[in-house]
Amino acid sequence: MRLFLSETFFDAVFKLPKKIQDKVVAFQRKFRENHTSAGIHLEPISQFKNSTLRTARVDDNYRVVVGVLDGDNFSLLYVGDHEDAYRWGINKRFVWNEHTQACQLITIEEKQEKVVVPQVQTDNEPAFFEGVTEEKLLKVGVPKNAITRVLNIKSLDDLDLLEPILPVDAYENIFNIMDGEDIDSIISTIEEGQAKENEDKLLSDNNKRRFVEITDDDALQRIIEQGMDKWQIFLHPSQRKLVNAEYKGTMKVSGGAGTGKTVAALHRLKYLCENPNANVLFTTYTKTLSINIADSIEKLGVSRNKYTLNNIDRVLLDTAAKYKVKEGYKVLDYSGDEESLKLWREVLETEVTEFDEQFLYDEYIDVIVYFGNKDVKQYMMQPRVGRVKALSRKQRIEIWKLVEKYIALKQERRVVDRLELFNETTNYLNENNIRPYTNVIADEFQDFSNPELKFLRALVAEGKNDLFLTGDPIQRIYNGRKINFGAAGINVRGVRSRKLKINYRTTEPIKRVAIGVVRGIDYDDMDGGKESINGYVSLIHNGVAPQYKIVDDANAEVQQVVEWMKECLDSNIKLSEICIAAPSTNLLKEMQSRLHHDGTDYRVLKGTQKQGCYDGVDLCTFHSLKGLEYRVVMLMGVNERNLPSRATEGYPFSGMDKVAQKEYLSSKRSLLYVAITRARQLVYMVGFGEPSGLLDAIKK
């Protein structure tokens, strides 16, 4: 006998009181031991419209709805009190779909409540699926008896009327097709998720999307005790095929906000750590992201001695210390760039030049160190994209002489610039053929620089399953970090690059506004191509559209946020489910004062620090929102000055060339995109002054 846990049962069991959950666990153990025992009371119900469903007794009041595929395969479908369980199961049918190789729950229509697709409004309005064959619709999971109705729908509104009678997987596939995804692409994904010849069909990736096998008596207990989220158990086939695969080399996984990139990276870690010789590095750009990820890894039950989790700077410092690279040297950039500027001023004390210390510092870091120029010849040939001042050959020679003096002075003072240490450590690892890790996973790859990517490349031997990189080029919020995988020695071309397109976090209305912010802008895919936003769909199609208001002044801005908070609390939304964010910490000060005055609990997030009440509303910058999610996000300071849609003659564009201006504007679009997509349910935005042109599509 085999027992499966369904997604619907998972949702239901977490809504039960703790004492009932304990009884469900005990019931499950008894069921696996002997499902025919009298105590189980596994029996058909005459009111149920399908013979594949049974009920089983948890106690005198609670029942489990069980799906029967055959005499040896069962699935726990739902649990609730007697009336609730009967009500849920009365019009359900549990079937196996051979086309998708997955179980499906189908709602049987009541004749008097038959779903009717609206009549055609105009004679010349074609049905959306006109010309699509019945065979293709069957392949995407549509039940045969629903084919005709699907062929007649004309819009997403029509599809919504069919949602009650379509299996969840079929509805999602049809929705995605109508939102721009190619039907043949979806069919291809489904076929990839099927079991291979001689493999167990019940364990196909498609079936494991919503039905996972319970293989031991304590599995359900662990799920409940650890408070597991669905992502830990139910993976979409597009994610699973990336996670449980063997690659000849590096794999790059991109995707929009909320598409499960980090989830895929976490499950990839678990997969790689099953190797008895595993020594895996999981790294991110910021320390904050690493801390957030640590809890998720623990929930997955990954063996702690098989992996290292650190942000990239910590990995650098630990590696440099281990191999005595620049031993005893102070890293300047970690204490700000002022010390570097002081050294440059010392260099200039004995030199006559047109260049000041700030220009020379930026030129050294952004060009010479960033691109790893080792001599004047390399520097002479180096493109300086984004640098405002053009340089002649003579000027470059002059700068290089100054650079040599700067390097000599740093050697004397035993100091090193941050990116310089990355290059030095990378060179040491390569020259000595030292590869500290068996595999490397890097999340949010768009935040890394070329020296950091080269360092990652050096940490693991090139070959099978070496690098697994996840990120979203559209979320590149750090201006000026141009990267290129090829230039960093990382090959991700062709089959080594995949894209996730299904948004699991935000509602469709929120997603559409976020996409509107970045639409029309060319985003570099960091490997010579362009990142597309086409085919990026949300599975949560209902919801409230984001609100955007322009008010008179800073006080009115704070008051508006307070009013929105009250609306949320009146709707039973907890303070801890709300985040208030602004482009800078200064813009949050008035809000913080108001919350303090009103006696409203709050917590300030600054990097890895979380100061204040855990149960209060969170306050942070847009940058600090990266990697977080909330039920409600309220964004302050949303105006043209803080989030510009175009370049102007004044601040902050003065002194920038056109390339730098474009980069700056792109990073601001990305920043707003990131902030909006942190919300699962509601987004509120407010500002004063000129409205941000990035939100022209929203009625002010």
Side-chain angles (χ1 to χ4, degrees), residues 30 129 163 188 194 251 274 295 301 329 335 412 414 472 495 540 555 636 672:
K30 293 177 183 176
F129 290 98
E163 184 178 8
S188 178
Q194 295 174 347
M251 173 55 68
E274 291 173 357
D295 181 58
Y329 277 60
S335 54
E412 180 185 325
R414 297 182 69 79
D472 180 11
V495 296
I540 312 168
N555 289 331
M636 303 178 64
L672 183 56

Side-chain angles (χ1 to χ4, degrees), residues 238-298:
S238 61
Q239 294 173 314
R240 193 177 297 278
K241 71 181 180 182
L242 293 174
V243 169
N244 301 328
E246 296 292 312
Y247 301 112
K248 293 180 179 180
T250 298
M251 173 55 68
K252 183 190 90 170
V253 180
S254 62
T259 54
K261 300 180 297 295
T262 300
V263 168
L266 290 166
H267 281 274
R268 182 63 176 173
L269 174 66
K270 184 176 182 179
Y271 175 82
L272 292 172
C273 287
E274 291 173 357
N275 183 337
N277 300 317
N279 181 22
V280 186
L281 171 67
F282 194 119
T283 189
T284 64
Y285 180 65
T286 68
K287 188 177 179 180
T288 303
L289 283 175
S290 294
I291 291 173
N292 293 337
I293 284 169
D295 181 58
S296 296
I297 294 176
E298 186 177 346

Side-chain angles (χ1 to χ4, degrees), residues 566-622:
K566 186 178 184 303
E567 290 177 13
C568 289
L569 294 174
D570 290 342
S571 300
N572 295 319
I573 296 173
K574 301 176 183 176
L575 283 175
S576 59
E577 297 177 305
I578 302 172
C579 181
I580 303 170
S584 68
T585 54
N586 286 335
L587 294 173
L588 286 171
K589 289 181 178 179
E590 290 297 323
M591 191 72 243
Q592 188 175 345
S593 297
R594 175 63 181 270
L595 294 174
H596 183 77
H597 178 270
D598 292 350
T600 303
D601 291 334
Y602 67 90
R603 181 174 63 164
V604 179
L605 309 183
K606 292 182 179 179
T608 60
Q609 298 181 345
K610 300 179 180 180
Q611 301 174 340
C613 180
Y614 181 80
D615 294 326
V617 60
D618 280 352
L619 276 70
C620 69
T621 64
F622 284 10

Side-chain angles (χ1 to χ4, degrees), residues 127-134 137 146-154 162:
F128 186 90
F129 290 98
E130 184 177 357
V132 176
T133 65
E134 178 177 320
L137 292 179
I147 292 283
T148 301
R149 292 180 184 170
V150 171
L151 286 171
N152 285 333
I153 61 179
K154 304 175 184 298
L162 288 182

Side-chain angles (χ1 to χ4, degrees), residues 329-341:
Y329 277 60
K330 179 182 179 181
V331 185
L332 293 179
D333 298 50
Y334 293 135
S335 54
D337 61 9
E338 185 57 35
E339 289 188 64
S340 297
L341 292 174

Side-chain angles (χ1 to χ4, degrees), residues 20 23-24 27 39-40 56-64 79:
I20 304 301
K23 289 184 177 182
V24 172
F27 157 83
I40 294 294
R57 182 189 294 267
V58 175
D59 64 11
D60 289 342
N61 190 39
Y62 282 84
R63 300 289 185 272
V64 171
V79 59

